[in-house]
Amino acid sequence: MKKSCKVSVHQLQVGNFVRLPVAWKDHPFLFSSFHIKQAAQIELIKNLGIEHVIVDLERSDVAPLHADAVNPIKLPPSAEINVLKNDMDQYKAEQIEVQKKLRRDIHKTEQNFTRSVAMMRSLISKLRNRPLNAVDDAKDLVHTIVEQLLNSDNLVLHLMSDAKQDESIYYHSLNVAILSMLIAKELEWDRSEIETVGLSALFHDVGKLKVPPQILKKSTPWSAPELNFIKQHPLLGIELLKLADNFPQAALAPITNHHEYLDGSGYPKGLKEEALDKVSQLIAVVNEYDSLCYPSQQGKARMPYAALGHLYKQYKTKLNQEYIGKMIKMLGIYPPGSVVELSSGQYAMVMSVNLSKLLCPKILVYDALVPKDQAPIVDLEIEGISIVRCLPPAALPEKVHEYLNPRERVSYYFGGDSRKQ
């Protein structure tokens, strides 16, 4: 059976999935491909002044009418059609404004994120020679982030740009810090605890600065001595931080313990649950998640949604389940950066999640006839569209990949949603 066919607009039926051969700006529909849900939509298509459309037979609920058949649909009054058209035009215009607003929000958040990465880069570079300054800078960065976190009631988690080559330690450390502080807020920890979380997370991997790059970046399997050396990085990090007597004592243990597991199977000391404070347990969860998504060259990367599922299923005896559950709830089933296929057959990428409305992530949808800078941002609940599955970015057709621009490394940063709720 053919997957699609060209038919007269007079052959259309409710239930057909159509593709319009019209520029996106010249029709009132949010997409150029969609299911026909009511007869009035057929009349709107006829009023576009076109004779034919493409019907996707695989996605249609019914076949188009035969060419010689009389359309049996009882058409609504023209006044009703005009009302529908006006409503659709208004909704489409509103969605374009939502898209522009979201882009502005993401741009503003990107600027804050870029500044934070720059501060992260600076404080790491100061750690060896000016450790006191590095710690003071880190305290300022964490304080600023916590202020934003605690003073916003309507946080939105946005997808950020790719990490630059050879800067993964900055992006990883900042990502772990942001997610850990967000979870600590969701757990209703107090300000001082959230700041301890942030400071520990920013410095949790600094011990890797003392591991030779040729070992860290090695593409072949590590030898046993090399692996043992790498497993010492939490202790090497503590050695570095001892140079700074202004580093809070409470923030040291999580740096030592961010690879420890509740069942004693972690490293470097093989500690068990009773010996691990709650900040250590939280950072261990988030570090594991980010490392599953972006492992060293020795591992295979998982998509964010797959990493969450893996944590939940495979780490029941190793990591704090309450914290894993809170992270899954916070990020949603499809975290920002997830590439998805929709029930409409379209490809999309999750751009942001409002932490107070997790069921309504904002999805950037691919439509070849829509300019990229005006691509629809869809609220799945409102549009009645669902996610069928997640896809690895490599599975996307080249044009779709270029349009959606999926990130090789997903980083998160938060901003407020200034739209009226």
Side-chain angles (χ1 to χ4, degrees):
M1 187 178 92
K2 290 194 299 182
K3 290 184 177 181
S4 60
C5 62
K6 182 178 179 180
V7 302
S8 164
V9 293
H10 299 288
Q11 294 175 249
L12 293 175
Q13 293 202 84
V14 173
N16 287 160
F17 190 98
V18 299
R19 293 204 299 269
L20 302 178
V22 181
W24 184 67
K25 63 183 177 60
D26 295 332
H27 64 72
F29 300 96
L30 185 59
F31 300 113
S32 298
S33 303
F34 56 91
H35 258 114
I36 296 176
K37 296 179 180 178
Q38 52 183 301
Q41 291 177 307
I42 297 175
E43 285 306 292
L44 286 176
I45 293 172
K46 291 177 181 177
N47 290 343
L48 294 175
I50 57 177
E51 295 183 3
H52 297 90
V53 297
I54 303 298
V55 171
D56 189 319
L57 300 174
E58 288 188 333
R59 296 177 193 162
S60 295
D61 301 325
V62 296
L65 293 167
H66 290 292
D68 56 353
V70 177
N71 195 326
I73 297 172
K74 184 178 179 181
L75 298 175
S78 58
E80 186 178 324
I81 294 173
N82 288 335
V83 169
L84 177 63
K85 182 181 185 303
N86 290 336
D87 288 346
M88 291 173 64
D89 281 334
Q90 181 179 346
Y91 181 67
K92 184 172 181 177
E94 288 172 355
Q95 291 307 301
I96 292 173
E97 286 306 310
V98 167
Q99 160 71 8
K100 290 178 180 177
K101 173 65 176 63
L102 182 62
R103 285 190 185 278
R104 288 196 296 271
D105 285 348
I106 290 177
H107 179 67
K108 182 178 179 181
T109 305
E110 283 267 15
Q111 290 178 321
N112 291 334
F113 175 71
T114 301
R115 280 194 291 270
S116 295
V117 171
M119 289 184 69
M120 187 73 210
R121 189 184 299 114
S122 172
L123 67 89
I124 291 294
S125 69
K126 290 178 183 177
L127 191 57
R128 289 181 187 273
N129 300 319
R130 289 180 288 162
L132 299 180
N133 293 44
V135 172
D136 283 339
D137 288 351
K139 288 178 178 178
D140 288 343
L141 175 57
V142 168
H143 180 76
T144 300
I145 293 172
V146 172
E147 279 293 308
Q148 291 175 277
L149 272 178
L150 297 182
N151 292 327
S152 177
D153 295 323
N154 195 28
L155 288 173
V156 177
L157 198 61
H158 288 301
L159 172 66
M160 294 289 97
S161 56
D162 279 333
K164 295 177 182 175
Q165 194 172 12
D166 296 329
E167 295 200 336
S168 61
I169 186 172
Y170 311 131
Y171 284 78
H172 169 68
S173 300
L174 187 60
N175 220 28
V176 171
I178 294 298
L179 289 178
S180 298
M181 286 189 281
L182 278 166
I183 295 170
K185 182 192 176 184
E186 293 294 303
L187 290 166
E188 299 183 348
W189 292 4
D190 63 37
R191 176 189 289 267
S192 64
E193 290 173 322
I194 298 174
E195 291 193 348
T196 297
V197 166
L199 206 55
S200 296
L202 285 183
F203 287 105
H204 80 277
D205 257 355
V206 294
K208 287 186 176 178
L209 298 175
K210 301 187 81 170
V211 178
Q214 61 268 31
I215 294 179
L216 283 178
K217 297 179 181 180
K218 188 179 175 185
S219 58
T220 54
W222 287 307
S223 65
E226 288 170 338
L227 189 57
N228 287 334
F229 190 0
I230 290 169
K231 286 185 174 182
Q232 295 304 304
H233 78 266
L235 299 176
L236 296 174
I238 295 298
E239 285 182 15
L240 269 176
L241 291 168
K242 282 180 180 176
L243 300 173
D245 56 16
N246 60 340
F247 194 84
Q249 192 69 27
L252 287 172
I255 294 171
T256 305
N257 300 335
H258 69 274
H259 281 289
E260 298 287 4
Y261 291 144
L262 305 183
D263 60 5
S265 62
Y267 64 84
K269 297 181 179 180
L271 301 179
K272 292 193 174 183
E273 180 174 2
E274 57 272 14
L276 299 169
D277 64 282
K278 66 181 186 180
V279 176
S280 294
Q281 292 186 33
L282 174 57
I283 292 176
V285 165
V286 181
N287 177 66
E288 196 73 37
Y289 165 72
D290 200 63
S291 297
L292 283 169
C293 295
Y294 311 102
S296 67
Q297 293 177 332
Q298 306 284 320
K300 183 179 179 182
R302 286 178 166 85
M303 296 292 291
Y305 78 95
L308 288 175
H310 184 76
L311 273 186
Y312 180 74
K313 293 175 183 176
Q314 304 298 326
Y315 287 75
K316 291 188 182 296
T317 63
K318 295 179 180 294
L319 296 173
N320 187 301
Q321 291 299 297
E322 179 190 1
Y323 300 164
I324 291 176
K326 190 65 74 171
M327 181 165 65
I328 291 171
K329 184 177 179 183
M330 187 182 77
L331 291 175
I333 300 173
Y334 302 104
S338 299
V339 176
V340 297
E341 183 180 346
L342 304 176
S343 57
S344 61
Q346 293 161 292
Y347 297 111
M349 185 166 67
V350 180
M351 293 299 293
S352 61
V353 176
N354 189 313
L355 301 188
S356 64
K357 296 190 294 184
L358 286 171
L359 295 178
C360 307
K362 296 292 183 267
I363 309 288
L364 178 72
V365 181
Y366 169 76
D367 190 324
L369 299 179
V370 181
K372 184 177 177 179
D373 62 351
Q374 294 181 326
I377 293 288
V378 175
D379 187 321
L380 296 183
E381 194 171 52
I382 292 175
E383 295 299 326
I385 299 173
S386 60
I387 293 174
V388 175
R389 59 176 175 151
C390 263
L391 297 167
L396 293 174
E398 186 176 349
K399 288 183 179 179
V400 181
H401 193 285
E402 183 179 340
Y403 188 101
L404 293 178
N405 187 27
R407 314 298 193 256
E408 289 185 14
R409 179 190 170 85
V410 175
S411 294
Y412 304 118
Y413 211 76
F414 61 88
D417 187 346
S418 55
R419 286 178 296 151
K420 294 181 180 178
Q421 299 299 307

